[in-house]
Amino acid sequence: AQKVTQAQTEISVVEKEDVTLDCVYETRDTTYYLFWYKQPPSGELVFLIRRNSFDEQNEISGRYSWNFQKSTSSFNFTITASQVVDSAVYFCALSHNFNKFYFGSGTKLNVKP
Amino acid sequence: DAGVIQSPRHEVTEMGQEVTLRCKPISGHNSLFWYRQTMMRGLELLIYFNNNVPIDDSGMPEDRFSAKMPNASFSTLKIQPSEPRDSAVYFCASSRGGGLEQYFGPGTRLTVT
């Protein structure tokens, strides 16, 4: 069975705090892909990152970083020095070669000034 | 390059009316997806196409929903007859397939009264 769990429904932080969004996945396949998307209040879904199951290297992009650990089936997302513009719902997703995405339920991040 | 284009952006209709949502995927993308997003059910995959062929329509709620992709640059999602419980934001997304990231359109907010 394929499943993505985002246990944190909503997180509130104050600007400049670091925040980590958790994502735990389930799959029996050895080849799979993990994604993060951002959905700001305006409503569109914005692609942030894609990782494949053979690449466990952590990735950093500006204030964003991602920690992929196959041993714990987790793909966590950290925002360093959060800003108000980071306020959004963040979705983690799992896919295989067959294209179908399995989305988590999302984590709503509120960054307060 | 233009992103995924959806029309209309907003649709308000009365129960029983036919509704047609339209999508133009990114040029060169061979996979197209229709999603529905509600507060209660989150982001649900309704149907997806590879090379214009429907692959998985298991998410289509019932026979009132139908989707077509007559060519590589156009798809429609039709609801006939519409019901108030169909009120949601409908997203179209496209990708190059093979586990690659999906790019989402801005969505159509449908309200059925």
Side-chain angles (χ1 to χ4, degrees), chain A residues 37 39 50 98-101, chain B residues 37 48 50 56 98-99 102:
Chain A
Y37 283 80
Q39 187 174 38
R50 168 185 180 267
F98 304 108
N99 295 331
K100 187 170 182 175
F101 272 37
Chain B
Q37 187 177 37
Y48 77 92
N50 276 356
D56 183 348
Q102 296 179 14

Side-chain angles (χ1 to χ4, degrees), chain A residues 37 45 99 101 103, chain B residues 3-6 22-26 29-36 43 45 47-50 69 72 75 90-97 100-107:
Chain A
Y37 283 80
L45 278 145
N99 295 331
F101 272 37
F103 279 92
Chain B
V4 176
I5 298 172
Q6 291 187 246
R22 297 172 175 80
C23 176
K24 177 178 170 57
I26 294 172
H29 284 192
N30 60 357
S31 296
L32 183 140
F33 308 79
W34 282 101
Y35 291 88
R36 179 173 67 177
L43 198 58
L45 176 65
I47 185 172
Y48 77 92
F49 297 82
N50 276 356
M69 191 165 185
S75 176
Y90 291 80
F91 288 102
C92 175
S94 71
S95 81
R96 293 187 190 275
L100 294 175
E101 59 271 19
Q102 296 179 14
Y103 291 91
F104 283 75

Side-chain angles (χ1 to χ4, degrees), chain A residues 9-81:
Chain A
T9 305
E10 188 166 352
I11 301 175
S12 292
V13 299
V14 177
E15 205 169 21
K16 298 185 182 176
E17 285 185 11
D18 298 347
V19 58
T20 295
L21 310 182
D22 298 332
C23 173
V24 174
Y25 61 92
E26 294 177 31
T27 180
R28 293 179 182 171
D29 293 287
T30 56
T31 301
Y32 53 90
Y33 307 89
L34 297 164
F35 305 81
W36 276 95
Y37 283 80
K38 175 182 181 180
Q39 187 174 38
S42 52
E44 74 274 21
L45 278 145
V46 179
F47 165 70
L48 295 178
I49 189 172
R50 168 185 180 267
R51 302 297 284 177
N52 72 57
S53 53
F54 300 108
D55 183 2
E56 283 192 76
Q57 276 193 334
N58 291 334
E59 178 140 349
I60 299 174
S61 175
R63 295 182 299 105
Y64 294 173
S65 62
W66 291 269
N67 184 318
F68 176 26
Q69 291 193 345
K70 289 177 75 172
S71 60
T72 55
S73 297
S74 65
F75 186 43
N76 296 338
F77 173 28
T78 296
I79 301 175
T80 302

Side-chain angles (χ1 to χ4, degrees), chain B residues 3 48 52 59 71 73 93 104:
Chain B
Y48 77 92
N52 312 338
N71 57 63
S73 58
F104 283 75

